[in-house]
Amino acid sequence: MYALDFEYDGHYLSDYGFMLCTFDGSRGAQVVDSGCNIQFNKVATNGGKKSSLTSTQYSDCLQATFQICKDPEKYLTEEELMITKDEYRDIARWLNRGQFCRFQIIYDVSDDVYNSEPCYYNASFNIKRITIGDKVFGVELTMETDSPFGYGSEIEIEKTLDATSGYSFTIYDNSDDIGYIYPDIELICLSSEDYTIVCEPFGTTTTIGGCTQGETIDLYGNSKIISTSLDAHNVAADFNFSFPKIGNTFESSKNTITVNAPCIIKITYSPIIKDYL
């Protein structure tokens, strides 16, 4: 088995004495839904002989189903392998939540096929008991996620920009999805003036007026929230609500970030990964 363990919300399956398994004994090949299904919206033309593409969108989020049982290397007898009501409740409390938490499969890194960049998902689970006779020996987990893909390890890039270093720098977005994402940005102002952040090639121009030297401004890309360390600064009134974008095209992953005034800027994002479980 290439999958050794999994992590969910900072805890590991092995912490509970469980392991990934299968109860059906099947060794046959199967088709697994890996998300990333694109819906192509088209309009028929030329008497139905041709269709023009009008738009595209991801049609679903990633789903997966797998099974767990108690680790037979730790629990040796049939009675010990049986899952008690308290153990089942512990698993349910951990995994079956009304919120998405970080989930990551832990693979056997000695297997070159699965020795790749870590990939995590924002997930929650529905759970069912697996019984043999009237005893519970396993749990079936159906994973639901908040997106059609996974994410790589978080990347943080921090730069000090001034007249000496220059006001532009380059980053590369190696996401598997062609397009753009909204990173989180922390901007520490080193002068008192209006600030502008320009991101190319996606052409976003972010303006924040009335900034003060020493002020820290945070731009949260996914939630579209801006905040400041200075209570006296009504930053929302001085913001054009254009959040910076970074991303890639099929030909290039290069992004150029330009700020008009001295600052310390930190960009944080997680690249998109179209991996399989």
Side-chain angles (χ1 to χ4, degrees):
M1 180 179 288
Y2 61 83
L4 300 178
D5 201 353
F6 68 72
E7 178 188 3
Y8 184 66
D9 193 28
H11 299 272
Y12 291 86
L13 181 64
S14 56
D15 294 339
Y16 290 80
F18 280 69
M19 60 177 286
L20 291 160
C21 68
T22 180
F23 280 85
D24 63 9
S26 172
R27 293 178 179 271
Q30 58 181 325
V31 177
V32 179
D33 184 2
S34 296
C36 303
N37 294 320
I38 299 176
Q39 177 178 317
F40 297 91
N41 301 313
K42 296 169 287 186
V43 174
T45 58
N46 194 22
K49 295 179 181 179
K50 183 176 177 59
S51 293
S52 299
L53 186 65
T54 58
S55 65
T56 62
Q57 65 188 59
Y58 285 106
S59 60
D60 54 23
C61 294
L62 180 67
Q63 295 179 319
T65 300
F66 44 93
Q67 298 167 340
I68 62 173
C69 66
K70 294 172 73 172
D71 188 344
E73 292 188 0
K74 297 179 180 178
Y75 304 97
L76 304 179
T77 68
E78 179 179 321
E79 184 176 355
E80 290 176 333
L81 287 170
M82 184 179 69
I83 300 172
T84 68
K85 287 186 177 182
D86 286 344
E87 289 169 334
Y88 183 82
R89 288 175 61 185
D90 285 344
I91 290 294
R93 186 175 187 274
W94 176 40
L95 298 176
N96 185 223
R97 308 189 194 183
Q99 65 184 111
F100 291 120
C101 298
R102 177 170 171 150
F103 168 82
Q104 179 184 350
I105 289 281
I106 309 299
Y107 293 105
D108 182 358
V109 295
S110 65
D111 188 337
D112 290 339
V113 174
Y114 300 102
N115 186 14
S116 60
E117 180 181 357
C119 179
Y120 74 88
Y121 307 86
N122 298 315
S124 190
F125 299 88
N126 288 316
I127 66 175
K128 296 179 180 178
R129 298 187 302 276
I130 300 173
T131 62
I132 301 176
D134 59 350
K135 298 178 180 179
V136 180
F137 283 94
V139 181
E140 183 174 270
L141 309 175
T142 301
M143 182 180 75
E144 297 280 349
T145 68
D146 67 348
S147 69
F149 35 68
Y151 299 91
S153 299
E154 188 174 80
I155 295 173
E156 289 187 0
I157 300 170
E158 183 173 316
K159 297 288 185 179
T160 299
L161 306 179
D162 54 30
T164 301
S165 64
Y167 293 99
S168 294
F169 63 98
T170 299
I171 62 176
Y172 294 88
D173 170 40
N174 294 316
S175 293
D176 294 342
D177 193 48
I178 295 173
Y180 60 82
I181 56 178
Y182 292 95
D184 291 340
I185 291 184
E186 179 184 84
L187 183 73
I188 301 176
C189 305
L190 300 182
S191 66
S192 296
E193 55 186 295
D194 298 343
Y195 274 76
T196 300
I197 305 170
V198 178
C199 299
E200 296 292 349
F202 293 98
T204 57
T205 299
T206 302
T207 59
I208 308 167
C211 300
T212 302
Q213 183 176 0
E215 180 179 5
T216 299
I217 294 171
D218 290 296
L219 296 155
Y220 301 99
N222 285 330
S223 58
K224 301 297 185 295
I225 292 174
I226 185 171
S227 67
T228 176
S229 61
L230 295 182
D231 293 338
H233 185 187
N234 184 4
V235 69
D238 291 331
F239 178 42
N240 70 341
F241 282 91
S242 175
F243 285 82
K245 298 175 182 177
I246 61 171
N248 66 90
T249 65
F250 187 72
E251 292 80 15
S252 175
S253 62
K254 181 179 178 180
N255 292 259
T256 302
I257 315 298
T258 303
V259 184
N260 68 314
C263 65
I264 300 171
I265 186 171
K266 182 168 74 173
I267 297 179
T268 305
Y269 70 99
S270 295
I272 293 170
I273 294 182
K274 294 181 177 178
D275 202 351
Y276 56 87
L277 294 169

